[in-house]
Amino acid sequence: EAAIGKALQLGRDRLAAGDSALDVCEAVVRVLEDDPHFNAGVGAVFNEKGEHELDASIMDGSTMQCGAVAGVRTVKNPVSLARLVMTKTSHVLLMGDGAEQFATLQNVERVPNTHFDTEHRRQILEEVLQERARTGRLDGPAQQAGAYGTVGCVARDRQGRLAAATSTGGLTGKRWGRVGDTPVIGAGNYADGAVAVSCTGTGEQFLRHAVAHSISARVQLAGETLAQAADALVRRTLKPDDGGVIAVDRAGNLVAPFNTEGMYRGLADSNGRFVVRIFED
């Protein structure tokens, strides 16, 4: 709760100072990537080989510009590399060795892959692998608490611009080379002139249903409120325990529905709202 509160305060202060939604989303996600409590950057989960492969994306709703990286291994803050993909190339998504080479060209901060290690995540990997050995399953969703997760930030700034950023280590014990929804624009991350959405949970389900974009589509095409649209995807389209979303619309309405036992989240606005929660209110 303290870690989320720190990141939330940073975001609110920077928005109050007039910073852009895009800058704020990147800054907040960087703070979360550097905190070992979360499955992104330091504290990222291990894949089946006992290594880390990190994904991130960022999107500016006012311009529809976006950038993403997948499977990076030595980039300290993947969300910032995703933004450089957006601003320094004509592409949207770079992956693996190509993303690593791009990071070298951009002189972003690099770290050894072990920089992201934490003992807690290693213990969860061991539990997942032991369970697979017992059941004979080669892979599959990790059900252990803390075996997955994502960090994200959505924001509306003083000019009414919307932005979203998301970063993750993926699923514990994921197959080497697996890519989830986080770096896929429209699935795990999306922003336009109507809404900004960041998702967390079982990435394959968010990919199948293009969850982030579908929320925007329901708002703009079906005339639903943000709360109605987000609830429809989380409560009726996704399956129980698939995950949740955080989202904001052009009017500044904030929602954070989830269908899991809990979801670490914080919501703040210029009217004094400042809420940090883990379980249901």
Short mmCIF file of all heavy atoms in Angstrom, two decimals, residues 52-88:
data_model
loop_
_atom_site.label_atom_id
_atom_site.label_comp_id
_atom_site.label_asym_id
_atom_site.label_seq_id
_atom_site.Cartn_x
_atom_site.Cartn_y
_atom_site.Cartn_z
N HIS A 52 14.40 -13.63 -16.78
CA HIS A 52 13.36 -12.61 -16.88
C HIS A 52 13.25 -12.11 -18.33
O HIS A 52 14.26 -11.83 -18.97
CB HIS A 52 13.68 -11.41 -15.98
CG HIS A 52 13.94 -11.79 -14.55
ND1 HIS A 52 12.94 -12.07 -13.66
CD2 HIS A 52 15.10 -11.95 -13.88
CE1 HIS A 52 13.47 -12.37 -12.49
NE2 HIS A 52 14.79 -12.31 -12.60
N GLU A 53 12.02 -12.02 -18.82
CA GLU A 53 11.72 -11.42 -20.11
C GLU A 53 10.62 -10.40 -19.87
O GLU A 53 9.51 -10.75 -19.45
CB GLU A 53 11.25 -12.48 -21.10
CG GLU A 53 12.33 -13.51 -21.44
CD GLU A 53 11.78 -14.62 -22.30
OE1 GLU A 53 10.95 -15.40 -21.79
OE2 GLU A 53 12.18 -14.71 -23.47
N LEU A 54 10.92 -9.13 -20.13
CA LEU A 54 10.04 -8.04 -19.73
C LEU A 54 9.33 -7.42 -20.93
O LEU A 54 9.91 -7.27 -22.01
CB LEU A 54 10.87 -6.97 -19.01
CG LEU A 54 11.78 -7.48 -17.88
CD1 LEU A 54 12.56 -6.33 -17.29
CD2 LEU A 54 10.99 -8.22 -16.82
N ASP A 55 8.08 -7.05 -20.72
CA ASP A 55 7.26 -6.41 -21.75
C ASP A 55 6.72 -5.08 -21.23
O ASP A 55 6.46 -4.94 -20.04
CB ASP A 55 6.05 -7.29 -22.11
CG ASP A 55 6.42 -8.71 -22.50
OD1 ASP A 55 7.52 -8.91 -23.04
OD2 ASP A 55 5.60 -9.62 -22.25
N ALA A 56 6.52 -4.13 -22.14
CA ALA A 56 5.94 -2.84 -21.74
C ALA A 56 5.37 -2.13 -22.96
O ALA A 56 5.77 -2.39 -24.10
CB ALA A 56 6.99 -1.94 -21.08
N SER A 57 4.43 -1.23 -22.70
CA SER A 57 3.88 -0.40 -23.77
C SER A 57 3.39 0.92 -23.20
O SER A 57 3.14 1.05 -21.99
CB SER A 57 2.73 -1.10 -24.50
OG SER A 57 1.65 -1.37 -23.62
N ILE A 58 3.26 1.90 -24.08
CA ILE A 58 2.80 3.23 -23.69
C ILE A 58 2.02 3.82 -24.86
O ILE A 58 2.35 3.56 -26.03
CB ILE A 58 3.98 4.13 -23.28
CG1 ILE A 58 3.49 5.43 -22.61
CG2 ILE A 58 4.90 4.40 -24.46
CD1 ILE A 58 4.62 6.20 -21.90
N MET A 59 0.98 4.62 -24.56
CA MET A 59 0.17 5.19 -25.64
C MET A 59 -0.35 6.57 -25.26
O MET A 59 -0.79 6.79 -24.13
CB MET A 59 -1.00 4.28 -25.98
CG MET A 59 -1.79 4.70 -27.21
SD MET A 59 -2.85 3.38 -27.83
CE MET A 59 -3.44 4.14 -29.37
N ASP A 60 -0.26 7.48 -26.22
CA ASP A 60 -0.73 8.86 -26.07
C ASP A 60 -2.09 8.96 -26.76
O ASP A 60 -2.18 8.92 -27.99
CB ASP A 60 0.27 9.81 -26.71
CG ASP A 60 -0.10 11.28 -26.54
OD1 ASP A 60 -1.24 11.56 -26.13
OD2 ASP A 60 0.75 12.13 -26.84
N GLY A 61 -3.15 9.09 -25.98
CA GLY A 61 -4.49 9.12 -26.55
C GLY A 61 -4.77 10.33 -27.40
O GLY A 61 -5.63 10.29 -28.28
N SER A 62 -4.04 11.43 -27.19
CA SER A 62 -4.30 12.65 -27.94
C SER A 62 -3.76 12.59 -29.36
O SER A 62 -4.21 13.31 -30.24
CB SER A 62 -3.69 13.85 -27.21
OG SER A 62 -2.27 13.77 -27.16
N THR A 63 -2.78 11.72 -29.60
CA THR A 63 -2.18 11.60 -30.93
C THR A 63 -2.31 10.19 -31.51
O THR A 63 -2.02 9.99 -32.69
CB THR A 63 -0.69 11.95 -30.88
OG1 THR A 63 -0.01 11.00 -30.04
CG2 THR A 63 -0.48 13.36 -30.32
N MET A 64 -2.69 9.22 -30.69
CA MET A 64 -2.74 7.80 -31.04
C MET A 64 -1.34 7.24 -31.31
O MET A 64 -1.20 6.15 -31.86
CB MET A 64 -3.64 7.55 -32.25
CG MET A 64 -5.08 7.98 -32.03
SD MET A 64 -5.90 7.03 -30.71
CE MET A 64 -6.14 5.47 -31.53
N GLN A 65 -0.31 7.96 -30.91
CA GLN A 65 1.04 7.41 -31.00
C GLN A 65 1.23 6.38 -29.89
O GLN A 65 0.71 6.55 -28.78
CB GLN A 65 2.09 8.50 -30.87
CG GLN A 65 2.26 9.37 -32.09
CD GLN A 65 3.47 10.28 -31.95
OE1 GLN A 65 3.57 11.06 -31.01
NE2 GLN A 65 4.40 10.17 -32.88
N CYS A 66 2.00 5.34 -30.17
CA CYS A 66 2.23 4.31 -29.17
C CYS A 66 3.53 3.58 -29.46
O CYS A 66 4.04 3.60 -30.59
CB CYS A 66 1.06 3.32 -29.13
SG CYS A 66 0.53 2.70 -30.74
N GLY A 67 4.06 2.94 -28.44
CA GLY A 67 5.28 2.17 -28.58
C GLY A 67 5.29 1.03 -27.59
O GLY A 67 4.66 1.11 -26.53
N ALA A 68 6.00 -0.04 -27.93
CA ALA A 68 6.02 -1.21 -27.07
C ALA A 68 7.28 -2.02 -27.30
O ALA A 68 7.89 -1.97 -28.37
CB ALA A 68 4.79 -2.08 -27.33
N VAL A 69 7.67 -2.78 -26.26
CA VAL A 69 8.78 -3.72 -26.36
C VAL A 69 8.35 -5.04 -25.73
O VAL A 69 7.54 -5.06 -24.80
CB VAL A 69 10.05 -3.20 -25.67
CG1 VAL A 69 10.60 -1.99 -26.41
CG2 VAL A 69 9.81 -2.86 -24.21
N ALA A 70 8.91 -6.13 -26.24
CA ALA A 70 8.58 -7.46 -25.71
C ALA A 70 9.85 -8.28 -25.57
O ALA A 70 10.75 -8.22 -26.41
CB ALA A 70 7.61 -8.17 -26.65
N GLY A 71 9.92 -9.02 -24.48
CA GLY A 71 11.02 -9.94 -24.26
C GLY A 71 12.37 -9.29 -24.07
O GLY A 71 13.40 -9.88 -24.42
N VAL A 72 12.40 -8.09 -23.48
CA VAL A 72 13.71 -7.47 -23.21
C VAL A 72 14.28 -8.06 -21.93
O VAL A 72 13.56 -8.46 -21.02
CB VAL A 72 13.61 -5.93 -23.13
CG1 VAL A 72 13.18 -5.36 -24.47
CG2 VAL A 72 12.67 -5.48 -22.03
N ARG A 73 15.61 -8.10 -21.86
CA ARG A 73 16.27 -8.83 -20.78
C ARG A 73 17.22 -7.98 -19.94
O ARG A 73 17.55 -8.37 -18.82
CB ARG A 73 17.03 -10.01 -21.37
CG ARG A 73 16.16 -11.01 -22.13
CD ARG A 73 16.97 -12.15 -22.71
NE ARG A 73 17.96 -11.68 -23.69
CZ ARG A 73 17.69 -11.45 -24.99
NH1 ARG A 73 16.45 -11.67 -25.44
NH2 ARG A 73 18.63 -11.05 -25.82
N THR A 74 17.68 -6.85 -20.49
CA THR A 74 18.69 -6.08 -19.77
C THR A 74 18.33 -4.60 -19.66
O THR A 74 19.18 -3.80 -19.28
CB THR A 74 20.06 -6.20 -20.47
OG1 THR A 74 19.99 -5.56 -21.76
CG2 THR A 74 20.47 -7.64 -20.65
N VAL A 75 17.12 -4.24 -19.97
CA VAL A 75 16.68 -2.84 -19.92
C VAL A 75 16.09 -2.56 -18.55
O VAL A 75 15.10 -3.19 -18.15
CB VAL A 75 15.65 -2.55 -21.03
CG1 VAL A 75 15.14 -1.12 -20.92
CG2 VAL A 75 16.27 -2.80 -22.40
N LYS A 76 16.69 -1.63 -17.83
CA LYS A 76 16.26 -1.37 -16.45
C LYS A 76 14.81 -0.91 -16.39
O LYS A 76 14.06 -1.33 -15.50
CB LYS A 76 17.16 -0.32 -15.82
CG LYS A 76 16.82 0.03 -14.37
CD LYS A 76 17.85 0.97 -13.78
CE LYS A 76 17.52 1.31 -12.32
NZ LYS A 76 16.34 2.18 -12.21
N ASN A 77 14.39 -0.03 -17.31
CA ASN A 77 13.02 0.49 -17.31
C ASN A 77 12.40 0.30 -18.69
O ASN A 77 12.47 1.19 -19.55
CB ASN A 77 13.00 1.95 -16.90
CG ASN A 77 13.38 2.17 -15.45
OD1 ASN A 77 14.46 2.65 -15.14
ND2 ASN A 77 12.50 1.80 -14.54
N PRO A 78 11.77 -0.83 -18.92
CA PRO A 78 11.20 -1.13 -20.23
C PRO A 78 10.17 -0.10 -20.72
O PRO A 78 10.05 0.13 -21.92
CB PRO A 78 10.55 -2.50 -20.02
CG PRO A 78 11.37 -3.13 -18.95
CD PRO A 78 11.71 -2.01 -18.01
N VAL A 79 9.44 0.53 -19.81
CA VAL A 79 8.43 1.49 -20.25
C VAL A 79 9.07 2.67 -20.97
O VAL A 79 8.50 3.21 -21.93
CB VAL A 79 7.56 1.97 -19.07
CG1 VAL A 79 8.35 2.86 -18.11
CG2 VAL A 79 6.32 2.70 -19.58
N SER A 80 10.25 3.07 -20.55
CA SER A 80 10.93 4.18 -21.20
C SER A 80 11.47 3.77 -22.57
O SER A 80 11.50 4.58 -23.50
CB SER A 80 12.06 4.71 -20.32
OG SER A 80 11.52 5.35 -19.17
N LEU A 81 11.89 2.51 -22.70
CA LEU A 81 12.30 2.04 -24.02
C LEU A 81 11.09 1.98 -24.95
O LEU A 81 11.20 2.31 -26.14
CB LEU A 81 12.94 0.66 -23.91
CG LEU A 81 13.53 0.11 -25.21
CD1 LEU A 81 14.64 1.01 -25.74
CD2 LEU A 81 14.04 -1.31 -25.02
N ALA A 82 9.93 1.59 -24.42
CA ALA A 82 8.70 1.59 -25.23
C ALA A 82 8.39 2.99 -25.74
O ALA A 82 7.99 3.17 -26.90
CB ALA A 82 7.54 1.05 -24.40
N ARG A 83 8.60 3.98 -24.88
CA ARG A 83 8.34 5.35 -25.33
C ARG A 83 9.32 5.77 -26.42
O ARG A 83 8.95 6.50 -27.34
CB ARG A 83 8.40 6.33 -24.16
CG ARG A 83 8.01 7.73 -24.59
CD ARG A 83 7.78 8.67 -23.44
NE ARG A 83 7.37 9.98 -23.92
CZ ARG A 83 7.10 11.02 -23.15
NH1 ARG A 83 7.16 10.88 -21.83
NH2 ARG A 83 6.74 12.17 -23.66
N LEU A 84 10.55 5.33 -26.33
CA LEU A 84 11.52 5.65 -27.38
C LEU A 84 11.16 4.97 -28.70
O LEU A 84 11.40 5.53 -29.77
CB LEU A 84 12.93 5.23 -26.93
CG LEU A 84 13.55 6.11 -25.84
CD1 LEU A 84 14.81 5.47 -25.30
CD2 LEU A 84 13.82 7.51 -26.37
N VAL A 85 10.60 3.77 -28.63
CA VAL A 85 10.09 3.14 -29.85
C VAL A 85 9.03 4.04 -30.49
O VAL A 85 9.00 4.22 -31.71
CB VAL A 85 9.50 1.74 -29.55
CG1 VAL A 85 8.81 1.17 -30.79
CG2 VAL A 85 10.59 0.79 -29.07
N MET A 86 8.19 4.62 -29.65
CA MET A 86 7.13 5.51 -30.12
C MET A 86 7.68 6.78 -30.74
O MET A 86 7.20 7.22 -31.80
CB MET A 86 6.19 5.86 -28.96
CG MET A 86 5.04 6.78 -29.32
SD MET A 86 4.04 7.25 -27.89
CE MET A 86 5.02 8.60 -27.23
N THR A 87 8.68 7.37 -30.12
CA THR A 87 9.14 8.70 -30.53
C THR A 87 10.32 8.67 -31.51
O THR A 87 10.51 9.63 -32.26
CB THR A 87 9.55 9.54 -29.31
OG1 THR A 87 10.59 8.86 -28.58
CG2 THR A 87 8.36 9.77 -28.40
N LYS A 88 11.10 7.59 -31.50
CA LYS A 88 12.32 7.55 -32.30
C LYS A 88 12.25 6.63 -33.52
O LYS A 88 13.20 6.58 -34.30
CB LYS A 88 13.51 7.13 -31.43
CG LYS A 88 13.78 8.05 -30.25
CD LYS A 88 14.21 9.43 -30.71
CE LYS A 88 14.60 10.30 -29.50
NZ LYS A 88 15.04 11.66 -29.91
#
